């Protein structure tokens, strides 16, 4: 079982998140690696998004997204405003400090990726990424 796909990917994911959380703390960025996808989805959007939009992009449940959005809002990284057309919807966008943090996070993520990938040749990197893409394709069929 310890050599199964689920176990290996789970162990790698856990280690990546642990290391990334450590890097964020060292850089004084008060965000958890688990919250990064939400920030980055909003960062790369031109217009504000609803919580449901974020949940759809990340393929996560809306309740989980809502908790993280509330935390990121309290921390000053996200702005939450009622939709002008539908008051039941909240529109999510980055605050200036959220944008600044996203730019710092991108720099950290690129450095982290490079730190790992420097242990692989160019061919090994391509093969590795290709295998991961193929696993996704097989699972999503």
């Amino acid at each position: 079982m310890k050599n199964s796909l689920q176990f290996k990917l789970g162990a790698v994911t856990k280690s990546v998140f642990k290391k990334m959380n450590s890097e964020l703390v060292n850089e004084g960025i008060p965000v958890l690696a688990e919250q990064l996808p939400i920030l980055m989805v909003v960062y790369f959007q031109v217009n504000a998004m609803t919580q449901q939009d974020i949940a759809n992009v990340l393929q996560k449940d809306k309740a989980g997204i809502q908790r993280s959005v509330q935390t990121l809002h309290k921390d000053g990284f996200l702005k939450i405003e009622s939709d002008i057309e539908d008051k039941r919807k909240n529109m999510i966008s980055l605050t200036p400090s959220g944008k600044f943090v996203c730019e710092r996070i991108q720099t950290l993520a690129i450095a982290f990726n490079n730190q790992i990938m420097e242990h692989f040749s160019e061919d090994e990197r391509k093969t590795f990424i290709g295998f991961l893409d193929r696993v996704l394709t097989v699972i999503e069929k």
Side-chain angles (χ1 to χ4, degrees):
M1 189 66 189
K2 71 179 184 175
N3 286 324
S4 70
L5 177 67
Q6 301 91 317
F7 185 84
K8 290 291 185 187
L9 287 178
V12 168
T13 300
K14 183 179 176 182
S15 291
V16 165
F17 276 70
K18 183 178 178 181
K19 178 70 172 166
M20 197 64 192
N21 279 330
S22 174
E23 296 284 328
L24 291 166
V25 168
N26 289 341
E27 290 294 317
I29 300 172
V31 175
L32 296 174
E34 294 82 356
Q35 297 168 324
L36 295 182
I38 293 170
L39 283 175
M40 299 316 284
V41 163
V42 176
Y43 177 75
F44 286 109
Q45 288 297 312
V46 176
N47 300 315
M49 305 175 74
T50 66
Q51 291 172 158
Q52 186 62 56
D53 293 336
I54 296 167
N56 292 346
V57 169
L58 296 175
Q59 298 179 350
K60 302 270 185 174
D61 67 294
K62 187 178 171 184
I65 295 297
Q66 187 173 16
R67 285 188 297 274
S68 291
V69 164
Q70 290 299 326
T71 300
L72 291 165
H73 173 69
K74 286 180 205 164
D75 292 342
F77 300 121
L78 292 179
K79 182 171 37 174
I80 302 173
E81 298 175 307
S82 292
D83 186 342
I84 296 169
E85 296 172 12
D86 185 349
K87 299 291 182 196
R88 295 171 296 170
K89 292 182 184 177
N90 288 327
M91 301 305 292
I92 313 300
S93 59
L94 289 175
T95 64
S97 63
K99 183 176 180 185
F100 176 76
V101 162
C102 283
E103 289 165 357
R104 286 183 62 202
I105 288 167
Q106 270 191 291
T107 302
L108 274 177
I110 290 166
F112 180 74
N113 185 69
N114 291 342
Q115 193 177 48
I116 301 301
M117 290 302 180
E118 72 184 11
H119 297 278
F120 298 88
S121 70
E122 184 62 31
D123 285 343
E124 288 172 328
R125 284 182 225 147
K126 287 178 183 175
T127 301
F128 178 62
I129 298 301
F131 284 149
L132 292 175
D133 287 341
R134 192 167 358 153
V135 168
L136 279 174
T137 300
V138 168
I139 291 171
E140 292 177 350
K141 278 186 180 179

